[in-house]
Amino acid sequence: TMSAPKPWTPQEVEDYLSRFRVQELLSEAVNDAVTAKATDPVSHIADFLAKVGSADPLAPEDVPTTPIDGQKPGTSGLRKKTRVFMEGAYLHNFVQATFDTLVAEGVPVAGGTLVVSGDGRFFNKEAIQIILKMAAANGVGRLWVGTDGLLSTPAVSAVVRAREGGFKPFGAFILSASHNPGGIDEDFGIKFNMANGGPAPEKVTEGIFERTKSISSYKICPAFPFIELADVSSRTVSRADGSASVTVEVFDCTADHVAVLKDCFDFAKLKALCGRADFSLVYDSMHGVQGPYAKKIFCDELGLPASCLMNSVPKPDFGGHDSPSHGHADPNLTHAVELVAKMGLDKTGSKISTPTPPPKFGAAADGDADRNMILGDQFFVTPSDSLAVIAANADAIPFFKKNGGLKACARSMPTSCALDRVASARGIEAFEVPTGWKFFGNLMDSGTAAFPKGKTYTPFLCGEESFGTGSNHVREKDGMWAVLAWLQILAEKNADAAKPLVGVSEIVRAHWAEFGRNYYARYDFEGVDKAAATKMMEEMASKAGETGTEYEGGYVLGKLDEFTYNDPVDGSVSAHQGIRYVMTDGSRIVFRLSGTGVDGATVRLYLEKYEAPSGNLDQHAFDVVKPLAAIAMQVSKLSEYTGRTEPTVIT
């Protein structure tokens, strides 16, 4: 009699399934059925397996499609509800339109290297697999993906600019809707960054949009294998006849960005600061992509305990509606609820009592980690003040110092003028640009191969009132860079460990005592009717040039205009970038329609009043700007146009 075959061990089963790619192919088949919303998923999966089981993995197919309305990228790419991106060929159309536009612009796509990763929100991993299949069909030779499909937005820029010596990829797809909520019923987004690591310029994004309106097919390799993203790996996929191949490299998502940051700052000094008995720190990743980076930097590099990290595990819904932030990974007083309370503040920035003394330093990141919020012990630093303080203390930052000192700086137009006062006092050239990080790009690239003629404006510092800060070390705003810049300034102010700690509030108050204070607030009116909001903006724009109007509170209109930016590097002109009411005392009221929302439109109202060093520097900003808010509601007729009498959020 024959003996029964010996049962396989679990490892033998795993090796067997791996050798024949069984689990990979099943995962691909299930994903394809879900994406197609197959009415008979079992039959769909069976057909898929029959088709790809022995198919050429690099055999491309041209799949017929039709244009989809509304695929116009905003200031930070294309953002829609997640279910929209999951529907039919929505993602496919936009990706193919991007490839087509790049080829038309002469970008070396064929045989080139492409980065594909995102912030970990819902649909991130599935979208990556789709883009890998499409990239292969469009002739891309190498694909770089961060572990678990994760790369923060600034890390993508660092990878493009520094990995393997730098500037190997022709660009990158970033899957993120930034600070917008994540989840199947929330938001998803995609944008393309160029070979310099920065967002695609308007010429390219306009080209992509035009292509989406005429697209008739997209290219994809249906049999391209599912790529495991959990661990560092390299896999080469070849055509059956060996005539072509594509290599997919999965790399440590933190490595390149951390290396770039270590070149910007003195980590030994930062570690010494973090080791002081009277210094404590807490960092909130808000369940976004920053978690792995925070652990690597604060724990592994600076020696802080893991207890200093909050919400450090990336989640596809950023914690969801039941979390304190309600899944809104946006680092501000309203949404970073846990951090703000721990630092002894409420959502207005007012002090509250805490069961234990607050940490000396607190910071947070948004979903894709390009934004930051800085807090001291019961003290909130506005983004505009943060930018100005970094500029005033630029000599403390090695990145600036070793490159000859800070040469120029810039702010988005709605950001307060606090930076301008520092630039004037320090003899630094300053620029005012439209909202959107891409508008800083040419200034950062001045003097490089892209713009070899004309002035060089680097080393360079820039920022936005919307919690974005950065320099020319990458071509995106960089939340971690801003936090480390603050820690470097704190380390410099506290070089003598025998002296009492100089904290965040002391640094900011000293800054106000020297430069004065720009009281500032932003009112967001979210989800308003876009057509009505556009008419409101058009009516205000029609009055450009008016002066002399007197308003309650003694304010007199000095200038009313619609902001137009003339780029000093490439000569391009960007018009219709916001309405500015500038009073004779320098106070400002600014209106802008946001391009980063998903539902309806968001009217952003920015309010600013300057107080000289000799004035009252200890008022609450929200109280100071209330008279300007009343004027703004009057001149805009906002309530009449939108039906809103109160903002959704004040920051």
Side-chain angles (χ1 to χ4, degrees):
T1 59
M2 295 182 63
S3 60
K6 181 182 177 181
W8 279 353
T9 66
Q11 185 60 53
E12 287 173 324
V13 172
E14 185 176 335
D15 292 343
Y16 173 78
L17 295 176
S18 177
R19 185 164 69 253
F20 293 100
R21 296 177 54 223
V22 174
Q23 290 170 312
E24 282 185 23
L25 291 172
L26 281 172
S27 294
E28 288 183 54
V30 171
N31 285 335
D32 194 73
V34 171
T35 300
K37 293 186 175 179
T39 55
D40 183 355
V42 174
S43 296
H44 186 101
I45 290 169
D47 291 343
F48 183 93
L49 291 172
K51 182 177 182 180
V52 306
S54 59
D56 184 339
L58 290 186
E61 284 190 10
D62 278 317
V63 180
T65 190
T66 55
I68 299 172
D69 290 339
Q71 291 195 315
K72 181 178 176 63
T75 57
S76 298
L78 178 66
R79 295 180 187 174
K80 298 289 182 182
K81 287 299 181 183
T82 305
R83 291 185 186 274
V84 172
F85 271 96
M86 296 171 67
E87 182 81 29
Y90 194 91
L91 175 64
H92 304 68
N93 276 22
F94 187 82
V95 171
Q96 188 61 55
T98 302
F99 280 127
D100 291 348
T101 303
L102 294 174
V103 170
E105 290 290 325
V107 175
V109 172
T113 299
L114 175 69
V115 183
V116 185
S117 286
D119 63 12
R121 67 181 57 233
F122 192 93
F123 192 54
N124 183 65
K125 290 183 178 180
E126 295 85 351
I128 289 173
Q129 299 293 337
I130 291 170
I131 295 172
L132 296 182
K133 290 173 179 284
M134 294 187 66
N138 279 274
V140 175
R142 258 201 320 178
L143 292 155
W144 287 355
V145 187
T147 44
D148 288 320
L150 300 177
L151 280 176
S152 72
T153 293
V156 170
S157 189
V159 166
V160 172
R161 297 179 63 81
R163 185 168 180 78
E164 291 191 358
F167 303 103
K168 296 296 191 296
F170 63 80
F173 279 109
I174 302 177
L175 304 174
S176 173
S178 190
H179 57 290
N180 291 18
I184 191 168
D185 293 313
E186 297 296 348
D187 302 341
F188 192 80
I190 183 171
K191 73 171 183 173
F192 190 81
N193 278 28
M194 304 297 284
N196 70 341
E202 284 188 312
K203 178 184 179 183
V204 173
T205 57
E206 285 296 327
I208 293 170
F209 178 49
E210 288 302 314
R211 182 63 183 135
T212 66
K213 294 190 289 186
S214 62
I215 191 169
S216 59
S217 68
Y218 63 83
K219 298 176 183 178
I220 194 166
C221 290
F224 192 83
F226 179 87
I227 302 298
E228 289 291 347
L229 305 177
D231 300 306
V232 172
S233 64
S234 179
R235 178 173 181 177
T236 298
V237 180
S238 301
R239 292 211 68 156
D241 60 5
S243 62
S245 64
V246 176
T247 298
V248 184
E249 299 175 31
V250 181
F251 58 92
D252 179 354
C253 67
T254 67
D256 299 287
H257 190 213
V258 172
V260 168
L261 292 171
K262 290 181 76 172
D263 189 54
C264 292
F265 301 103
D266 187 335
F267 269 53
K269 287 186 177 180
L270 300 185
K271 190 169 185 177
L273 170 69
C274 292
R276 284 183 58 142
D278 57 354
F279 181 80
S280 51
L281 176 151
V282 63
Y283 189 87
D284 189 354
S285 297
M286 301 193 77
H287 288 306
V289 74
Q290 190 77 300
Y293 301 87
K295 181 181 182 301
K296 182 68 176 178
I297 289 173
F298 296 120
C299 301
D300 298 351
E301 295 287 346
L302 301 183
L304 288 164
S307 57
C308 78
L309 305 179
M310 298 176 67
N311 303 315
S312 60
V313 178
K315 294 184 178 181
D317 61 357
F318 303 140
H321 291 288
D322 293 334
S323 69
S325 69
H326 303 296
H328 207 133
D330 196 354
N332 57 43
L333 293 172
T334 300
H335 294 114
V337 178
E338 291 170 283
L339 174 67
V340 171
K342 191 174 185 69
M343 296 303 296
L345 297 170
D346 65 15
K347 67 179 183 180
T348 70
S350 300
K351 294 180 181 181
I352 60 172
S353 60
T354 57
T356 58
K360 296 300 181 183
F361 183 85
D366 67 332
D368 68 331
D370 61 350
R371 301 182 186 217
N372 73 95
M373 177 169 65
I374 304 297
L375 300 165
D377 176 356
Q378 295 189 307
F379 192 87
F380 167 63
V381 185
T382 69
S384 296
D385 277 344
S386 177
L387 178 63
V389 168
I390 293 172
N393 294 276
D395 288 345
I397 298 171
F399 177 75
F400 294 137
K401 197 170 185 178
K402 69 184 179 183
N403 289 300
L406 183 62
K407 185 174 290 186
C409 58
R411 60 173 175 81
S412 64
M413 182 272 287
T415 302
S416 94
C417 299
L419 178 67
D420 305 35
R421 299 183 184 280
V422 175
S424 177
R426 298 286 194 268
I428 300 168
E429 197 154 5
F431 297 91
E432 183 179 39
V433 308
T435 295
W437 205 258
K438 61 188 176 185
F439 292 106
F440 295 123
N442 285 352
L443 293 164
M444 294 183 187
D445 280 338
S446 61
T448 68
F451 301 106
K453 299 179 181 179
K455 295 184 67 173
T456 298
Y457 298 110
T458 57
F460 181 78
L461 172 69
C462 53
E464 299 177 324
E465 51 71 36
S466 53
F467 296 85
T469 319
S471 73
N472 59 291
H473 69 295
V474 293
R475 294 298 184 268
E476 289 280 3
K477 48 183 173 275
D478 189 342
M480 187 61 78
W481 186 94
V483 171
L484 295 179
W486 264 93
L487 291 178
Q488 196 78 69
I489 293 168
L490 283 164
E492 192 73 18
K493 300 290 186 184
N494 292 283
D496 187 348
K499 293 182 178 179
L501 185 78
V502 177
V504 172
S505 63
E506 289 89 349
I507 290 173
V508 176
R509 291 183 188 283
H511 181 90
W512 292 340
E514 181 178 357
F515 297 100
R517 181 178 181 184
N518 290 72
Y519 286 103
Y520 186 87
R522 186 180 95 185
Y523 288 20
D524 287 357
F525 298 84
E526 298 176 350
V528 303
D529 180 75
K530 188 172 183 179
T534 300
K535 287 183 179 179
M536 180 189 78
M537 296 292 287
E538 289 172 347
E539 180 176 341
M540 286 189 285
S542 70
K543 298 177 182 178
E546 290 186 4
T547 61
T549 307
E550 296 182 1
Y551 303 107
E552 189 173 346
Y555 292 104
V556 178
L557 182 63
K559 180 174 71 174
L560 167 57
D561 69 357
E562 187 172 24
F563 180 55
T564 295
Y565 178 58
N566 295 282
D567 192 305
V569 179
D570 69 358
S572 61
V573 178
S574 299
H576 311 297
Q577 296 296 323
I579 308 296
R580 299 185 296 184
Y581 288 78
V582 183
M583 305 301 167
T584 53
D585 69 345
S587 297
R588 296 195 310 160
I589 297 171
V590 174
F591 289 90
R592 193 177 69 83
L593 283 183
S594 173
T596 59
V598 170
D599 288 329
T602 296
V603 176
R604 302 205 195 279
L605 166 61
Y606 310 86
L607 307 163
E608 176 181 7
K609 178 175 173 58
Y610 175 69
E611 189 80 16
S614 59
N616 186 352
L617 304 177
D618 291 317
Q619 302 173 78
H620 195 293
F622 292 179
D623 295 331
V624 173
V625 301
K626 274 183 180 178
L628 289 168
I631 295 171
M633 296 295 284
Q634 173 190 335
V635 299
S636 66
K637 303 178 185 175
L638 190 146
S639 296
E640 179 181 324
Y641 276 105
T642 70
R644 302 293 181 84
T645 57
E646 298 291 336
T648 312
V649 179
I650 300 177
T651 53

